[in-house]
Amino acid sequence: MLRVVGGELPIDRRSRVHLPVPEPLPREPAERVCDFDPTFHSLTPEEARRAAEACIHCPEPAMCTLACPAGNDIPTAMWFIEQGDFVSAAEVYRQTSSLPEICGRVCPHDALCQGACIRSKSGDPVITGSLEAFVTDYARAVAGVAIEVGAPSGRRVAIVGSGPSGLACAERLARQGHAVTVYEKLPSPGGLLRYGIPNFKLPNGIVDSQIEDLTRAGVHFVTRAEIGRSPTVDELFAQGFEAVYLAVGTGVVAPLDVPGSDLPGVVTAAEFLMQANVESRELPEGAADLPPLGKQVVVIGGGDTASDCLRSAVRLGADSVTCLYRRTEAEMPGNPKDRELAAEEGACYRYLIQPIAFHAGPDGRVAEVECLTCRLGPPDRSGRRSPVPVEGSNFRVSADTVVLALGYWPDPLLGETTPGLETKRWGLIVTEEDSGATTRPGVFAGGDAVTGPDLVVTAMVAGHRAAAAIDDYLRDPSSQ
């Protein structure tokens, strides 16, 4: 028996497990490479209902819910979708998620809720992510979104960083009635969501909607403000803030320390995606529009960021777009679906290749990447087999632009300018796991600045945890 809102309902799980699951189809590669519009066609209401009907409503606790870091009640949402009550389904998601339109698009669902679906054992899993995005989009268009703001508490909180963790923390604190100010060092709020994820995966209009929701709820955004430089965390407290949440992410690109890495035409993934993804007015001071890429673009790295750069370069008109990765595809950390889409769009992946130098052409710009062939050696500390360069296997790859997509580190600025704030390797902030409390009283932290690069949903959940701890801290005089 399935227990849903309103009572008990019998479900024939045996017949449901064999129902076909409609999936959102990608636009044809030849069409989608011509713009930065969403890759996938939207579901129709009928397709959404039929997809939800495939849910067999496992006995509690459902595996999909257990696999969701936010703990979304996916079976109940599926029930409402099956009935065509898309607004109620969206409300289910919003009970546990501050960013359902975003998580429905960018979460690696195959590795989370969708991958845990019991139907995977005998057929196609329920398309949980696509359905989450569909119903929350639908509800926003039909009923709007309003954050229920609590009675004013008279307490002020500063949030540093407007990415997923900062936005989630702000939403939860606004619901508790606290006055929240979010500081962002870039010209527009959104952090990674705006500047680091291409529009063909996450349209900036969706990020704008999240910011507008929070603004209507009384959250104040201050942009072009680099906390730690001006003002510092100490100065925020001096201005009357009673708690500070650090959600600055990991904005420093890991370097590739080889000869020629400073040549014109060698760029980081962060600056490349920023320039490709936003309008000139949203670029930080001193950042220029993206220069012409030339005909041949090489991307070095193997994660989701590398795939995003490859697919962006194709859309920006490069004739040849190649990814160089020093291990095999089996060791690649990124989403296989993104690699599949990139390959469909014309990107080429070359494995077991280690760049060792960049060489300039007559104009002084990068023209070639010198590489060594690798073989796989013993596992490294992460458990992946280590790449071992083969001596004497040197060869060169032509390149007009090289994009370094090698991972990210935290900015050490906050650790260096905040007395009493403990950091560890690479500048990650030390916190209590359950609360996000740092070693500095009144200062909390979460998201990638604590864990290193991770998922949008895990950063969001960290923001929720910290908001609950901050609320307790503000309401308990003995803790201050």
Side-chain angles (χ1 to χ4, degrees):
M1 300 288 282
L2 168 67
R3 185 171 64 82
V4 298
V5 178
E8 303 280 346
L9 189 80
I11 288 292
D12 184 354
R13 295 190 175 96
R14 185 170 298 179
S15 63
R16 283 185 174 231
V17 79
H18 298 295
L19 288 175
V21 182
E23 292 192 39
L25 298 175
R27 295 188 292 146
E28 289 297 321
E31 174 192 352
R32 67 182 190 249
V33 298
C34 297
D35 55 50
F36 278 75
D37 292 342
T39 299
F40 290 90
H41 293 288
S42 298
L43 291 169
T44 67
E46 179 56 30
E47 288 171 338
R49 282 195 293 267
R50 286 194 287 118
E53 286 174 356
C55 177
I56 64 174
H57 294 280
C58 303
E60 295 182 357
M63 296 302 294
C64 55
T65 294
L66 292 176
C68 173
N72 289 338
D73 185 359
I74 297 171
T76 297
M78 293 303 109
W79 170 252
F80 281 125
I81 297 170
E82 181 181 343
Q83 308 308 307
D85 189 352
F86 304 135
V87 172
S88 292
E91 290 173 355
V92 170
Y93 285 113
R94 293 195 187 280
Q95 289 174 9
T96 46
S97 175
S98 299
L99 308 168
E101 295 101 320
I102 292 172
C103 291
R105 287 172 166 85
V106 303
C107 274
H109 305 104
D110 289 348
L112 298 173
C113 51
Q114 188 167 317
C117 179
I118 296 299
R119 279 181 52 104
S120 299
K121 297 180 178 179
S122 57
D124 296 326
V126 178
I127 52 171
T128 50
S130 298
L131 290 170
E132 179 180 6
F134 169 80
V135 297
T136 49
D137 285 349
Y138 179 96
R140 179 177 290 279
V142 171
V145 174
I147 297 172
E148 186 175 344
V149 179
S153 68
R155 317 307 289 270
R156 298 175 64 205
V157 182
I159 295 177
V160 185
S162 63
S165 197
L167 296 181
C169 187
E171 187 249 3
R172 288 296 194 259
L173 289 172
R175 290 182 182 276
Q176 296 297 328
H178 303 306
V180 180
T181 300
V182 179
Y183 291 89
E184 169 58 55
K185 71 176 182 178
L186 292 170
S188 294
L192 166 76
L193 302 174
R194 181 183 302 279
Y195 288 92
I197 302 178
N199 277 276
F200 52 77
K201 291 174 68 173
L202 177 62
N204 276 339
I206 292 175
V207 180
D208 291 336
S209 295
Q210 304 290 327
I211 304 301
E212 290 164 5
D213 295 343
L214 290 166
T215 300
R216 286 194 301 271
V219 175
H220 181 50
F221 289 89
V222 179
T223 57
R224 302 180 189 270
E226 188 172 11
I227 305 303
R229 197 175 308 280
S230 179
T232 63
V233 169
D234 281 352
E235 288 169 341
L236 290 177
F237 281 114
Q239 292 172 13
F241 290 103
E242 296 164 90
V244 176
Y245 181 55
L246 306 178
V248 293
T250 47
V252 177
V253 179
L256 182 60
D257 188 16
V258 301
S261 59
D262 58 347
L263 285 172
V266 179
V267 300
T268 67
E271 60 183 316
F272 177 75
L273 290 174
M274 181 183 297
Q275 291 167 319
N277 208 43
V278 301
E279 299 178 8
S280 299
R281 60 182 174 79
E282 293 183 305
L283 291 173
E285 186 176 351
D289 289 338
L290 188 70
L293 299 181
K295 295 183 177 180
Q296 298 172 304
V297 174
V298 170
V299 177
I300 298 172
D304 289 337
T305 299
S307 293
D308 290 346
C309 291
L310 291 165
R311 299 181 65 198
S312 295
V314 170
R315 286 160 172 76
L316 291 168
D319 292 340
S320 169
V321 180
T322 303
C323 179
L324 305 181
Y325 183 59
R326 60 182 184 160
R327 293 180 171 92
T328 71
E329 185 173 12
E331 288 78 37
M332 266 189 160
N335 189 332
K337 183 62 177 178
D338 281 357
R339 294 198 293 274
E340 179 184 332
L341 292 168
E344 288 178 356
E345 294 166 3
C348 172
Y349 286 85
R350 297 182 63 177
Y351 301 101
L352 293 171
I353 293 176
Q354 174 69 62
I356 60 170
F358 303 113
H359 299 283
D363 60 356
R365 288 179 55 85
V366 68
E368 292 180 318
V369 184
E370 184 176 357
C371 307
L372 290 175
T373 300
C374 294
R375 60 178 177 80
L376 289 182
D380 61 14
R381 292 180 179 178
S382 69
R384 293 185 298 166
R385 295 178 66 186
S386 301
V388 180
V390 177
E391 187 176 349
S393 62
N394 304 57
F395 66 97
R396 296 192 180 194
V397 177
S398 297
D400 299 307
T401 297
V402 176
V403 183
L404 306 179
L406 301 170
Y408 296 87
W409 296 342
D411 188 334
L413 179 63
L414 284 170
E416 294 169 352
T417 62
T418 308
L421 182 68
E422 182 182 349
T423 60
K424 54 183 179 181
R425 63 187 187 283
W426 307 306
L428 296 172
I429 301 171
V430 175
T431 66
E432 294 178 1
E433 184 175 352
D434 293 339
S435 67
T438 71
T439 52
R440 170 71 183 270
V443 178
F444 300 76
D448 290 2
V450 171
T451 63
D454 206 337
L455 304 177
V456 166
V457 65
T458 53
M460 179 190 75
V461 170
H464 290 170
R465 275 199 305 268
I470 291 170
D471 181 58
D472 289 342
Y473 172 82
L474 294 176
R475 296 182 189 279
D476 180 6
S478 66
S479 66
Q480 301 177 43

